Amino acid sequence: MTIPTTDWGELAQKNEFELKGDVFSIFQDASTRIQMLPGDDPELLSVVPRLAELMEKRKELHSYGEAFSALARSVGLWNYVDRTSASARDELAAERATIPGLGLTLHREQLSALHTLSSGKNLILSAPTSFGKSILIDALLYQERFRRVAIVLPTIALLDEFRRRLITRFGDQFDVLMHHSEKATRDRVIFLGTQERLINRDDLGSLDLVVVDEFYKLDPHRRDERAVTLNAAVYRLLGKARQFFFLGPNIDGVLTSDGSRWRFEFLKTRFSTVAVDTIDLKSVPDKDARLHEEIINRSNWPALVFVSSPDKANKLAADIVARKTQLGNGAALSRWMVENYGGKWELSEAVAAGVGIHHGRIPRALASRFITLFNLRKIPVLICTSTLIEGVNTAAKSVLIYDKTIANRPYDFFTFSNIRGRAGRLGKHHVGQVYLFHEPPEREDVEVEAPLFGDPDGAPDEYVVHMDDEDVSPVVSDRVADMAQRVGLDPAQIRRFSGLGVETLVGLRAATNAAVRGRTGIFWSGRPRFSDLAATCEVICKVTRAQIFGCASARQLAMYISMLSQSSTMKSFYQWHSESYRGQPERIDNVFKFLRAAEFSLPEYFAVIELFAKVVAPGAAIDYSLLLAELPRWFRAEPLKILEEQGVPIQISERFLRTGDNVTSLGARLREAAQNEKGALSPMERQWVKDALPG
């Protein structure tokens, strides 16, 4: 029997005599192929996790333990070596790749990357999702040579995941800072942030290391509207850093211009720690029926179901509920959602049936809870959109790729590979399953073309305004001067608001000037009246659609802001929204889209309008500072908002808030309450707090 001809499912069913003979043949074939194939050949590497799973199921194969460890050592998967049965040689190989203080054993390619970084070189790593890139970051931080580190992550959900892991492993060595209000008290500090948060931090100082996760997002051609801000943020960070490490999946190359100031090693590897079976269902006549059949199949759990949009995810969840399918036990969480978000949100019924949803219109603390329960198999099915492929780790055994688009656009092979890469998890599911309901995109090479590494003369306006004088050519200098004239702001002001886009700034200038001529109520200070908010929101929505902020109109946007500011608690705001909502049931969660916008983009629009209004009427009483300070934190005390990002919903933490609290004191009070079985928290809430706030 050879590796390509092996039917692993059939092999697992054979009697002991045949099983042992076939497995011995696989070991023989593997030993031959090791001499002939590249070290990262996926088919050869997959033999190790497949054998690991088979040996867990068939105890009669335990006598092959030494041979298995020898194979794992030979292909470089040292983390699979079983030291209880390995030879001295194989045990030594695993021991040399182990970091005792972290309890981690690296594989060959991780160790190679670590050696490159430890020598002081910059590295860009392209590796599959199951490579174990987060482990590599932890191995770097374990080295005392890195004392001040900045880590750029694409989402706040990923920030929270990193925060929990880093505090658990390094909390006694590093200060881990996510918010501007947090200040370092130790010499060793890790700054965690999205590009929007890190670009404006003024306390970074000199950095030993900058880490950029999901670095492919630097390429504006990937249609990520935040790409230019990411380039600008990374440009600023690299100017302060001795070394950088970029990592991401499935990239074939990074394009650089001849004059680029940044030098780096590029490592591309196909090295994976899990195997994946692909089940082709594109010819199934009734795909909807087959999807539901696979969803309820327990052998697929935990299962991620990929769909194209939040609306599609909501509809699929409603369909599961309509079929009266019971997959898990989410009754307690469902009741909590009804009480704390209002009774009209249909997702609560899906959660009661054991189904979770993950997309951009789910509250962060709730989405984080869904992932925790999914990894524990208490919610065995998680319906997701592309938001889940940006690095948040899940313990999915199966991925059901039901749609072939994202926001009505066909996804490319790169995105498809990232979605597929979510199947399987080292140490939990050695072999993952991917169910394809459509023809996959054609394979294509992917090269990252980032303004950061390109010719500045051709870079976007929003990037070049961030460049230092020594990097600016006469061509760029002329462009910046022209930009300042068109926008009506100086370069420093354009730099501050470049995330909105230069053309948006031009549009806001024109809309503000028109509002001033029309004598609308955009001249206000202090706490705005509803009419003030309505007039200012009208200006915003002349340039940007209200739907971007989760609202149907400028007036509704103003109403949401007004009610958010007037509500004494977040719970009362959600209840008001639920009771007053008259739209489509599956879109009631747009209120969470509004709340996301309130955190960053919406205040940016208000700040630019204030700036232009002051230019037009320098003597007028215009001061939006109170709104600009309170809107990003939803008019709540800052510790509540910080804890929401860390996985504790405001509806829980606001019950424990006291005057003068900071996030440390409030967090400590919540941990204490979580230990009290007869306190103010329900059993479900106690576990929620314990999981969100470890140690």
Side-chain angles (χ1 to χ4, degrees):
M1 176 174 285
T2 64
I3 293 171
T5 61
T6 299
D7 184 325
W8 292 88
E10 181 181 300
L11 180 63
Q13 305 303 318
K14 291 189 175 183
N15 63 48
E16 180 178 353
F17 178 77
E18 292 181 328
L19 175 67
K20 284 191 168 183
D22 287 348
V23 169
F24 183 80
S25 297
I26 290 171
F27 279 124
Q28 285 184 310
D29 189 40
S31 65
T32 301
R33 290 174 180 271
I34 288 171
Q35 310 302 321
M36 302 166 51
L37 298 174
D40 64 347
D41 180 74
E43 189 174 51
L44 177 59
L45 287 169
S46 72
V47 173
V48 173
R50 290 187 186 281
L51 284 173
E53 182 180 74
L54 185 61
M55 292 171 71
E56 286 179 0
K57 293 178 178 177
R58 300 295 296 269
K59 304 304 181 186
E60 57 265 51
L61 292 176
H62 282 192
S63 59
Y64 284 146
E66 184 174 342
F68 171 77
S69 292
L71 176 61
R73 189 262 308 161
S74 298
V75 300
L77 282 168
W78 301 320
N79 42 354
Y80 270 98
V81 171
D82 182 357
R83 301 186 196 185
T84 62
S85 60
S87 67
R89 178 186 182 185
D90 300 333
E91 184 179 2
L92 179 61
E95 185 67 29
R96 290 181 60 187
T98 297
I99 304 173
L102 298 180
L104 298 173
T105 299
L106 305 181
H107 57 64
R108 185 186 65 219
E109 295 295 279
Q110 286 173 328
L111 197 61
S112 174
L114 185 61
H115 284 162
T116 299
L117 290 161
S118 298
S119 70
K121 296 178 181 177
N122 301 321
L123 177 66
I124 297 182
L125 171 66
S126 170
T129 304
S130 58
F131 178 88
K133 295 183 283 290
S134 297
I135 290 175
L136 196 50
I137 294 173
D138 291 358
L140 279 173
L141 295 176
Y142 186 70
Q143 301 179 4
E144 293 190 1
R145 62 192 295 263
F146 298 110
R147 308 191 66 80
R148 296 181 66 83
V149 179
I151 302 178
V152 188
L153 300 164
T155 66
I156 291 176
L158 194 53
L159 285 181
D160 182 49
E161 179 185 299
F162 264 70
R163 176 194 64 83
R164 296 185 203 190
R165 192 184 77 249
L166 295 179
I167 287 176
T168 299
R169 282 189 168 156
F170 304 108
D172 59 342
Q173 303 168 45
F174 284 92
D175 283 335
V176 181
L177 309 183
M178 279 179 54
H179 299 271
H180 283 73
S181 60
E182 299 172 311
K183 302 301 178 184
T185 60
R186 297 176 174 146
D187 291 336
R188 302 187 76 186
V189 57
I190 301 169
F191 297 96
L192 278 178
T194 59
Q195 54 263 42
E196 291 85 2
R197 291 188 176 187
L198 288 176
I199 195 171
N200 291 316
R201 282 201 80 121
D202 57 7
D203 58 345
L204 295 171
S206 297
L207 298 169
D208 296 309
L209 179 69
V210 170
V211 178
V212 180
D213 195 19
E214 309 292 329
F215 77 93
Y216 63 88
K217 290 179 173 290
L218 287 163
D219 191 339
H221 299 103
R222 297 218 58 82
R223 298 174 179 170
D224 189 328
E225 61 186 14
R226 301 165 65 207
V228 177
T229 303
L230 177 59
N231 277 271
V234 174
Y235 171 85
R236 179 169 182 260
L237 292 170
L238 296 192
K240 299 174 177 290
R242 292 193 297 110
Q243 190 175 359
F244 66 79
F245 175 35
F246 293 1
L247 57 162
N250 307 314
I251 300 299
D252 296 287
V254 179
L255 300 179
T256 60
S257 66
D258 293 338
S260 175
R261 62 185 282 194
W262 316 114
R263 295 290 178 264
F264 55 85
E265 301 284 323
F266 178 69
L267 172 60
K268 172 180 168 52
T269 178
R270 298 173 295 174
F271 210 87
S272 177
T273 59
V274 299
V276 176
D277 289 329
T278 301
I279 298 91
D280 185 352
L281 301 178
K282 64 177 180 291
S283 299
V284 171
D286 190 340
K287 290 184 173 60
D288 184 61
R290 182 59 181 271
L291 174 64
H292 284 273
E293 181 182 327
E294 298 299 344
I295 283 175
I296 65 175
N297 185 349
R298 290 175 176 269
S299 65
N300 289 329
W301 295 354
L304 293 176
V305 184
F306 173 79
V307 294
S308 59
S309 67
D311 287 348
K312 194 76 173 285
N314 293 346
K315 182 180 184 302
L316 178 55
D319 289 346
I320 293 173
V321 171
R323 292 170 184 249
K324 302 189 182 304
T325 305
Q326 190 67 37
L327 303 177
N329 185 10
L333 180 55
S334 175
R335 290 192 296 271
W336 188 92
M337 291 170 61
V338 170
E339 180 182 347
N340 287 275
Y341 292 111
K344 289 185 180 179
W345 195 13
E346 293 180 337
L347 177 58
S348 60
E349 298 178 45
V351 171
V355 178
I357 292 183
H358 194 288
H359 56 61
R361 296 191 332 229
I362 302 293
R364 286 198 184 91
L366 189 59
S368 175
R369 191 65 188 155
F370 286 160
I371 291 174
T372 298
L373 296 177
F374 176 78
N375 289 339
L376 294 172
R377 296 190 66 161
K378 293 182 178 179
I379 289 181
V381 174
L382 192 61
I383 305 169
C384 65
T385 61
S386 59
T387 60
L388 203 63
I389 70 173
E390 295 178 342
V392 178
N393 287 317
T394 62
K397 180 180 180 182
S398 305
V399 176
L400 286 68
I401 306 179
Y402 188 64
D403 284 339
K404 58 180 179 180
T405 61
I406 296 176
N408 296 320
R409 291 176 177 168
Y411 50 68
D412 57 14
F413 186 79
F414 171 78
T415 303
F416 165 76
S417 298
N418 289 349
I419 299 170
R420 183 178 58 183
R422 293 288 156 190
R425 180 74 181 275
L426 179 64
K428 292 190 176 182
H429 308 293
H430 300 309
V431 181
Q433 285 83 42
V434 174
Y435 293 83
L436 299 181
F437 287 82
H438 299 276
E439 187 74 34
E442 289 188 13
R443 181 181 294 274
E444 58 183 354
D445 288 344
V446 176
E447 294 183 311
V448 171
E449 186 176 2
L452 179 71
F453 296 127
D455 181 358
D457 290 354
D461 289 344
E462 292 82 1
Y463 173 73
V464 298
V465 294
H466 288 272
M467 294 177 62
D468 297 330
D469 291 342
E470 59 267 28
D471 293 329
V472 173
S473 68
V475 172
V476 170
S477 181
D478 290 345
R479 281 176 58 195
V480 172
D482 177 66
M483 205 186 312
Q485 185 175 9
R486 280 196 303 127
V487 175
L489 300 174
D490 63 46
Q493 292 170 322
I494 297 174
R495 188 180 308 122
R496 164 66 183 82
F497 296 107
S498 61
L500 293 179
V502 170
E503 294 309 313
T504 297
L505 296 179
V506 172
L508 285 171
R509 179 190 185 187
T512 302
N513 290 344
V516 171
R517 291 193 300 271
R519 299 184 180 276
T520 61
I522 66 169
F523 291 179
W524 49 268
S525 61
R527 196 170 297 279
R529 300 166 300 179
F530 177 77
S531 58
D532 299 329
L533 286 173
T536 314
C537 288
E538 284 289 347
V539 175
I540 294 172
C541 294
K542 294 288 186 188
V543 179
T544 304
R545 294 182 301 114
Q547 288 77 7
I548 296 296
F549 308 114
C551 298
S553 65
R555 187 170 183 82
Q556 187 182 60
L557 177 60
M559 177 61 71
Y560 275 22
I561 297 172
S562 178
M563 291 306 300
L564 184 63
S565 68
Q566 294 175 37
S567 299
S568 58
T569 64
M570 280 304 296
K571 181 176 178 178
S572 63
F573 171 75
Y574 287 130
Q575 289 174 335
W576 162 80
H577 177 261
S578 180
E579 292 167 3
S580 61
Y581 184 76
R582 298 293 182 269
Q584 296 173 312
E586 66 271 17
R587 296 195 175 182
I588 192 172
D589 54 13
N590 268 321
V591 66
F592 305 117
K593 190 175 182 180
F594 157 72
L595 290 171
R596 293 279 179 97
E599 293 171 337
F600 180 75
S601 63
L602 192 53
E604 294 285 276
Y605 280 91
F606 275 99
V608 170
I609 292 171
E610 178 192 29
L611 196 59
F612 284 132
K614 286 180 176 180
V615 170
V616 176
I622 305 169
D623 185 358
Y624 294 4
S625 59
L626 185 61
L627 180 77
L628 295 177
E630 293 187 340
L631 182 57
R633 60 176 189 257
W634 301 345
F635 302 95
R636 313 293 127 189
E638 188 173 38
L640 297 177
K641 189 64 177 58
I642 293 175
L643 287 172
E644 169 86 15
E645 292 183 1
Q646 295 181 1
V648 181
I650 289 181
Q651 299 97 309
I652 291 178
S653 57
E654 65 188 356
R655 288 151 43 191
F656 293 84
L657 182 69
R658 297 177 185 172
T659 302
D661 263 337
N662 57 30
V663 69
T664 302
S665 61
L666 180 55
R669 192 173 304 116
L670 283 163
R671 289 189 190 93
E672 182 180 351
Q675 300 300 325
N676 185 356
E677 294 184 2
K678 297 182 179 180
L681 294 175
S682 69
M684 187 211 69
E685 290 174 327
R686 289 204 312 273
Q687 191 59 53
W688 196 334
V689 171
K690 289 178 184 178
D691 291 339
L693 304 176

